[in-house]
Amino acid sequence: MTRALGDSVMARAGVIPTPEVTQLCLSEEVQSEGSDEPYRCLVLLASDGIFDVMSNEDAIHFLDKTITNTETLDDTCAGLVQEARDKWQAGLPLDVRIDDTSAVVTSFNFYA
């Protein structure tokens, strides 16, 4: 709930404004592969409805295996959202609603 970040009441409920940050030096990663081909990079922004049922690694693995089999990033992103919704539905009683499942995926090539 981004609207709750910085809200002292929500801090007591465990909502904190501390992001999960990872840094990766792409030039070192690409050079270690020893290829002249571009290195494909994915950026995933998703709601907690995705990450409540999938780990970061599961979501990226899903994207990585799906992106080569679909025509567009839109299809890949829609597939990720559907996968999360399926996981929600499989693990919940009928009277429990699915949390919002929103995602945006972008891709770019990195040349060393």
Side-chain angles (χ1 to χ4, degrees):
M1 293 181 14
T2 56
R3 65 183 174 272
L5 294 179
D7 185 330
S8 61
V9 173
M10 291 306 292
R12 292 192 299 264
V15 178
I16 58 171
T18 307
E20 183 176 321
V21 177
T22 302
Q23 291 182 331
L24 173 68
C25 181
L26 291 178
S27 61
E28 291 174 6
E29 192 74 24
V30 172
Q31 289 170 357
S32 70
E33 289 185 4
S35 173
D36 291 336
E37 294 295 314
Y39 186 79
R40 185 186 68 211
C41 300
L42 298 174
V43 176
L44 168 64
L45 302 173
S47 66
D48 64 330
I50 302 288
F51 295 116
D52 283 345
V53 294
M54 301 176 88
S55 68
N56 294 344
E57 292 78 14
D58 289 341
I60 292 298
H61 178 70
F62 180 89
L63 292 176
D64 195 43
K65 74 175 184 179
T66 308
I67 201 165
T68 56
N69 298 326
T70 58
E71 293 182 18
T72 67
L73 283 177
D74 288 344
D75 293 339
T76 302
C77 193
L80 176 70
V81 169
Q82 188 58 52
E83 178 76 8
R85 292 180 62 79
D86 291 346
K87 288 178 181 286
W88 272 101
Q89 289 175 329
L92 296 174
L94 293 177
D95 60 335
V96 177
R97 294 198 170 115
I98 296 172
D99 198 358
D100 80 89
T101 49
S102 304
V104 176
V105 178
T106 189
S107 174
F108 61 93
N109 292 330
F110 177 82
Y111 296 87

